[in-house]
Amino acid sequence: QVQLVESGGGLVQPGGSLRLTCAASGSIFNIQAMGWYRQAPGNERELAAVMTTGGSTKYADSVKDRFTVSRDNAKNMVYLQMTRLKPEDTAVYYCYGLIATMTHYGMNFWGNGTLVTVSS
């Protein structure tokens, strides 16, 4: 129906940068919000950053001033630019979309996740 595919994860040293990319495809009518959640080992999934189609953003306090979420609405893509990465940013990062399909209004969709490891 709707697929979200992430890319860009990997191993990075503390203080380094990484950019995640997510593309949405399928039976999309419109996208109300897209962004990123993350889940560290032993922890629950938590919001990292999200952006509405209107441009409003929300960030977790732990990533403010280090991460930047952006979107290309024409391409149904969302990005997460991560800078000054810390070991505690290590997690699986999941692309998230609040998407209206051809048959349903405002459903939550998730990607399969991409692993980000911050370690020296």
Side-chain angles (χ1 to χ4, degrees):
Q1 200 176 29
V2 173
Q3 298 81 39
L4 301 179
V5 179
E6 305 101 334
S7 61
L11 174 65
V12 62
Q13 292 186 341
S17 299
L18 208 57
R19 188 190 196 214
L20 305 182
T21 298
C22 174
S25 63
S27 301
I28 297 170
F29 180 70
N30 80 336
I31 298 177
Q32 292 144 1
M34 285 188 80
W36 300 88
Y37 281 67
R38 65 183 185 179
Q39 186 168 16
N43 290 356
E44 294 187 354
R45 191 176 299 189
E46 63 176 8
L47 171 75
V50 68
M51 176 181 274
T52 68
T53 299
S56 299
T57 57
K58 183 175 182 179
Y59 292 93
D61 288 342
S62 58
V63 308
K64 280 180 182 176
D65 300 323
R66 298 189 299 120
F67 290 10
T68 302
V69 62
S70 61
R71 288 178 56 184
D72 185 331
N73 293 331
K75 296 182 179 179
N76 293 337
M77 296 186 73
V78 64
Y79 310 93
L80 187 66
Q81 180 66 48
M82 303 182 290
T83 64
R84 291 182 281 139
L85 282 159
K86 304 175 182 180
E88 50 264 43
D89 294 318
T90 295
V92 176
Y93 284 71
Y94 295 92
C95 181
Y96 162 78
L98 178 60
I99 299 171
T101 70
M102 299 303 180
T103 57
H104 293 84
Y105 179 79
M107 294 181 64
N108 294 321
F109 290 92
W110 299 92
N112 290 330
T114 185
L115 177 62
V116 172
T117 303
V118 184
S119 175
S120 55

